[in-house]
Amino acid sequence: MEMNQYLEVFIEESREHLQNCNEQLLQLEKNPDNLAIVSEVFRSAHTLKGMSATMGYDDMANLTHQMENVLDEIRNGKLPVTSELIDLIFIAMDQLESIVESIASGGDGTADVQDTMDQLKTVGTKGGLSVPDEGNRKEGKGKIETKEESGSLKLTYDSYERTVLEQSYEQGYSAYEITVTLRSECLLKSARVYMVFNILEKLGDIIKSKPSVDQLEEEQFDLDFTVTVLTRDSKNDLVKKIMKVSEVESVSATKIALNQLQNEQNKKEQSIPQTDRVKKRDTDTTARGQTDAKKQKGNLHKTIRVNIDRLDELMNLFEELVIDRGRLEQISKELSHPELTDTVEKMSRVSSNLQSIILTMRMVPVETVFNRFPKMVRQLARELQKKINLQIIGQDTELDRTVIDQIGDPIVHLLRNSIDHGIEMPEERIKKGKPEEGSIELKAYHSGNHVFIEITDDGAGIDREKVLEKAVRKGIVTEEKIARLTDKEVYDFIFSSGFSTAEKITDISGRGVGLDVVKNTIESLGGAITVQSERNRGTRFTIQLPLTLTIISVMLVEIKQEKYAIPLTSIIETAIIKRSEIQYAHEQPVIDFRGKVVPLIYLKDVFQVPGEELADDFLSIVIVRKGEKMAALVVDSFIGQQEIVLKSLGNYLTNVFAISGATILGNGQVALIIDCNALIK
């Protein structure tokens, strides 16, 4: 069997078990007497140990083993659950996570974990507790049993295989038929088979298996399989080593004696008359076919893991299809052939459905980002000696994985700000008549074509006066203007570069570096962030994100001979105005748009498009927005609305002002995509 094909499965499963341990440990701290939680953590730790030992990552296996010992003491009521003990286990969890990530990035999985192992050992011995023997440890749910039995052989051997067995006996080897039964809840049976084969191949040679190796790899078996192995190891050693593989329910081993082999073979051949042998073979084939059909039917309801690179490749291919679809639609319009038009329309409908399915496949629950926050909030709260309850709502809300990959850091920053600046110390909260424990709510939900993420705390809120004082001192706003500013305009100052009202700088926050980066990151994803706050009642940050980034709807416009695309999410409306309506404020052209003064931006000048100025009394404008700010972009003409594929400009054109990418139109022409956020100051 291929040795490295299960590395990816190992990494994914390890991450899942580590995440489960993190979540359950947080629950355990709140419910220290709940032994069901301890058993859940223990099972994940035990599986991690088995997997890492099988894959040859000794540091990970040893550290998990020590952690397992401590959990076993807790489960047996010999060790009380304290915050200090949870801290120590979390340190071990952090190191395990580092090892897994190191393996995922091509590392050898080694790490210096001796200090943590020693501390875990000390925790066990301090209370006069002995480290339990591995072999005597009792499992919780899913208890595994070792059973060894002797009896009739389960496999039949042809003359070649019998010769191999005879020669091996002459060289001092023993042959065993080993039957392994997996737990009924085992999901990745082929991975467990691989682990068993990996162990047996280190101990000897496998000469036969039932089902065959191909069938085992394709999981075409129920729960048990039998292998014949030649080895010099004892039967007990074989069984014990296989039992270390996680999700193995039982193992039985039968030693094959040469005379027994011959006798069994003769009995089987004599017991079946010639005519019956033919019938039996036919019946077996039919039964196998029915069983295979049943299994295939059952498999229809299973989910499969797909490498994200394959989904990216599928998406790239579909993007090319969207470009070709645009070309076909263009050609169809030009030729006006009825059959071609019908065919293109049908293809467009099918490709639209395909686009919807592919986009859905790329959607990932925000849980994958949110699930690391409970541990982080706990650790920061303990460092700051605050009491904080984090509530997560809507973790099943899905977002495109491109957005998911980039949204983690901004949320981390906002949470750290809420913990450090928002939530007050317990004694201060009591003085204010608030509960001693602060509350932070992390909420995600869909609305239209956007996903909203809210971070709400019930802390001190933003000090409006302090923000204004700092804004004036930094020259962001003049004292004359501050009286006319709304609360929202004042709070938006905190997103300015280098802005902080914190009285002291901590390791967590206070340097004024971060919220501007948060805002820029979210805006680069096509999203927006707003803040609402009330003094002594709390603060709410709201992040608005698009569902996907790769295929977007745009308005195509023309400037001289060049075509540009403006994302529809930025457009308020289009209009045609008279030149006489243009006014000037501070020598800048502006227009009156529904009672608001909106600056006029000539895209021809911004992008330095060559060509003569049109002597027309009318101007075509596109009103765009960035948050509450608006601007009117002057173009030569509107082409229409279209779905386009966003393409990067590549590494050589990274700093083109106000251009976020490019797309290929139906006629093969390239259109640049305008970044409206960069145009509006």
Side-chain angles (χ1 to χ4, degrees):
M1 299 180 94
E2 199 58 42
M3 295 297 285
N4 291 322
Q5 63 177 322
Y6 293 109
L7 183 61
E8 198 173 316
V9 174
F10 165 75
I11 292 166
E12 283 300 313
E13 286 202 4
S14 296
R15 285 173 176 158
E16 286 173 11
H17 284 294
L18 287 169
Q19 181 56 37
N20 185 45
C21 285
N22 280 328
E23 290 172 4
Q24 296 300 325
L25 284 169
L26 289 168
Q27 291 300 318
L28 181 62
E29 191 173 25
K30 293 176 184 172
N31 307 283
D33 298 325
N34 192 334
L35 293 181
I37 299 175
V38 185
S39 296
E40 181 69 28
V41 183
F42 185 90
R43 277 197 294 278
S44 283
H46 184 73
T47 306
L48 274 172
K49 185 183 75 171
M51 290 195 306
S52 51
T54 307
M55 297 295 288
Y57 300 118
D58 294 337
D59 289 336
M60 187 173 172
N62 294 334
L63 181 57
T64 321
H65 177 60
Q66 291 303 332
M67 196 171 87
E68 199 185 16
N69 289 339
V70 171
L71 291 168
D72 194 55
E73 298 302 329
I74 297 173
R75 194 173 57 175
N76 293 329
K78 297 176 180 177
L79 199 60
V81 176
T82 62
S83 293
E84 290 72 23
L85 180 61
I86 297 289
D87 282 345
L88 179 58
I89 299 176
F90 270 133
I91 290 171
M93 295 295 301
D94 288 342
Q95 290 180 332
L96 290 172
E97 284 172 359
S98 298
I99 293 174
V100 172
E101 293 313 312
S102 160
I103 295 167
S105 56
D108 58 3
T110 57
D112 184 7
V113 294
Q114 193 57 48
D115 284 350
T116 311
M117 285 174 57
D118 291 342
Q119 288 183 56
L120 288 168
K121 274 183 189 173
T122 308
V123 167
T125 52
K126 260 187 178 175
L129 304 170
S130 60
V131 176
D133 178 62
E134 173 103 13
N136 295 331
R137 181 178 296 128
K138 290 182 181 176
E139 294 285 343
K141 186 183 173 184
K143 178 181 174 182
I144 53 178
E145 295 175 355
T146 305
K147 59 178 182 181
E148 298 182 29
E149 58 185 29
S150 59
S152 60
L153 300 179
K154 294 187 177 180
L155 306 186
T156 55
Y157 301 90
D158 57 28
S159 58
Y160 172 76
E161 289 162 346
R162 286 200 296 274
T163 307
V164 171
L165 287 169
E166 288 167 6
Q167 290 177 350
S168 301
Y169 272 105
E170 290 171 7
Q171 294 170 12
Y173 284 88
S174 298
Y176 297 96
E177 271 190 4
I178 298 174
T179 299
V180 180
T181 304
L182 302 176
R183 290 185 191 175
S184 57
E185 67 268 23
C186 178
L187 292 177
L188 291 169
K189 294 188 291 186
S190 60
R192 305 305 168 212
V193 172
Y194 159 73
M195 292 176 177
V196 172
F197 270 58
N198 192 22
I199 289 173
L200 292 177
E201 283 168 353
K202 286 178 181 173
L203 301 175
D205 294 318
I206 297 172
I207 63 167
K208 195 177 180 76
S209 72
K210 185 183 179 182
S212 67
V213 172
D214 289 342
Q215 288 173 316
L216 290 171
E217 285 182 337
E218 292 170 8
E219 299 193 352
Q220 292 179 4
F221 67 104
D222 288 331
L223 292 173
D224 53 2
F225 59 95
T226 303
V227 293
T228 303
V229 62
L230 300 173
T231 180
R232 286 194 170 97
D233 281 57
S234 70
K235 186 165 68 176
N236 285 340
D237 285 352
L238 287 175
V239 173
K240 280 183 181 175
K241 286 176 181 174
I242 295 172
M243 287 298 292
K244 284 193 174 181
V245 176
S246 55
E247 297 189 300
V248 168
E249 181 72 27
S250 65
V251 179
S252 65
T254 305
K255 188 171 182 178
I256 303 173
L258 278 181
N259 56 350
Q260 183 192 14
L261 182 65
Q262 190 59 49
N263 292 339
E264 292 273 346
Q265 204 68 27
N266 292 340
K267 277 182 192 172
K268 283 179 183 172
E269 287 177 2
Q270 289 168 8
S271 63
I272 304 173
Q274 183 65 30
T275 51
D276 289 351
R277 283 180 211 165
V278 177
K279 284 181 185 174
K280 185 176 185 303
R281 192 162 56 241
D282 293 343
T283 309
D284 285 350
T285 308
T286 309
R288 195 180 304 122
Q290 288 172 347
T291 310
D292 288 346
K294 273 185 188 175
K295 283 173 184 171
Q296 284 174 7
K297 193 176 177 184
N299 285 343
L300 290 177
H301 302 289
K302 285 186 178 178
T303 56
I304 58 167
R305 290 172 191 246
V306 180
N307 190 311
I308 197 70
D309 292 338
R310 292 186 184 176
L311 283 183
D312 284 345
E313 192 179 342
L314 180 64
M315 192 67 193
N316 288 336
L317 289 172
F318 182 74
E319 288 171 1
E320 298 299 325
L321 191 63
V322 169
I323 292 169
D324 289 339
R325 180 181 71 186
R327 286 182 182 171
L328 272 177
E329 287 171 346
Q330 182 86 16
I331 294 167
S332 170
K333 281 180 189 171
E334 289 171 6
L335 295 178
S336 296
H337 191 285
E339 285 188 18
L340 177 62
T341 305
D342 287 347
T343 308
V344 170
E345 282 178 359
K346 187 179 178 185
M347 199 195 80
S348 297
R349 284 197 299 274
V350 172
S351 62
S352 294
N353 291 337
L354 184 61
Q355 176 183 341
S356 173
I357 291 170
I358 294 174
L359 289 178
T360 305
M361 286 166 68
R362 287 173 53 87
M363 300 296 267
V364 180
V366 291
E367 183 184 21
T368 54
V369 178
F370 284 8
N371 58 20
R372 61 176 152 138
F373 297 139
K375 193 170 105 178
M376 183 196 83
V377 170
R378 175 193 176 273
Q379 286 177 336
L380 288 180
R382 278 181 64 78
E383 282 176 27
L384 297 170
Q385 298 181 329
K386 293 182 179 180
K387 294 185 177 178
I388 299 172
N389 176 44
L390 174 67
Q391 190 180 7
I392 295 178
I393 300 170
Q395 58 265 47
D396 295 333
T397 309
E398 292 183 327
L399 260 174
D400 188 283
R401 68 167 289 271
T402 314
V403 182
I404 287 278
D405 287 346
Q406 298 181 53
I407 197 61
D409 288 344
I411 298 177
V412 166
H413 201 93
L414 294 174
L415 282 173
R416 289 168 74 93
N417 266 283
S418 287
I419 297 165
D420 199 16
H421 301 314
I423 304 294
E424 309 95 330
M425 295 297 286
E427 55 271 22
E428 192 181 339
R429 289 181 63 86
I430 292 170
K431 280 182 191 171
K432 289 179 179 177
K434 293 181 177 180
E436 187 182 21
E437 184 179 65
S439 170
I440 296 177
E441 183 183 274
L442 182 58
K443 182 179 178 184
Y445 58 93
H446 274 131
S447 180
N449 285 327
H450 291 87
V451 165
F452 289 82
I453 297 173
E454 292 179 356
I455 297 115
T456 310
D457 68 61
D458 67 345
I462 299 173
D463 190 333
R464 191 180 193 278
E465 299 308 314
K466 269 191 180 177
V467 172
L468 279 175
E469 182 188 330
K470 189 70 182 282
V472 171
R473 203 159 65 231
K474 287 181 72 70
I476 298 172
V477 65
T478 59
E479 289 196 23
E480 293 74 34
K481 286 186 178 177
I482 58 175
R484 298 195 297 271
L485 294 175
T486 63
D487 285 350
K488 188 176 179 316
E489 287 170 329
V490 173
Y491 296 146
D492 279 347
F493 290 144
I494 66 173
F495 294 111
S496 305
S497 178
F499 197 96
S500 175
T501 58
E503 290 173 0
K504 61 179 181 181
I505 295 170
T506 67
D507 290 339
I508 299 167
S509 60
R511 293 184 185 276
V513 179
L515 282 180
D516 59 324
V517 178
V518 167
K519 190 177 186 187
N520 289 339
T521 304
I522 290 167
E523 287 179 349
S524 71
L525 294 170
I529 181 170
T530 56
V531 58
Q532 298 167 282
S533 185
E534 195 173 344
R535 193 74 182 133
N536 288 324
R537 298 291 295 274
T539 304
R540 171 180 296 162
F541 288 94
T542 304
I543 299 170
Q544 179 183 347
L545 294 163
L547 280 177
T548 185
L549 298 179
T550 50
I551 297 177
I552 57 174
S553 297
V554 297
M555 164 72 77
L556 286 174
V557 298
E558 198 168 35
I559 304 166
K560 303 303 174 189
Q561 299 300 314
E562 297 182 4
K563 291 184 174 60
Y564 291 84
I566 304 174
L568 285 186
T569 50
S570 299
I571 297 176
I572 298 175
E573 67 177 73
T574 58
I576 294 175
I577 61 167
K578 287 183 179 177
R579 284 184 186 273
S580 57
E581 293 177 25
I582 301 173
Q583 302 171 33
Y584 287 87
H586 299 285
E587 299 181 354
Q588 296 295 320
V590 296
I591 60 167
D592 181 353
F593 177 70
R594 303 189 200 286
K596 289 187 176 179
V597 177
V598 176
L600 208 57
I601 300 173
Y602 289 87
L603 291 182
K604 174 181 174 297
D605 297 336
V606 173
F607 299 122
Q608 299 176 356
V609 183
E612 296 293 324
E613 183 73 31
L614 296 175
D616 196 344
D617 288 340
F618 293 92
L619 292 177
S620 301
I621 60 167
V622 183
I623 309 291
V624 295
R625 68 181 172 191
K626 174 190 177 186
E628 296 297 315
K629 295 178 182 175
M630 292 190 290
L633 308 181
V634 181
V635 300
D636 286 352
S637 62
F638 310 123
I639 297 174
Q641 183 181 331
Q642 192 171 323
E643 275 195 339
I644 57 147
V645 178
L646 179 63
K647 295 282 187 185
S648 162
L649 290 178
N651 295 331
Y652 295 104
L653 295 170
T654 52
N655 295 316
V656 181
F657 175 70
I659 296 295
S660 58
T663 189
I664 303 170
L665 301 176
N667 58 5
Q669 193 174 354
V670 173
L672 296 173
I673 301 165
I674 296 173
D675 179 3
C676 296
N677 292 328
L679 286 173
I680 304 173
K681 301 291 184 185

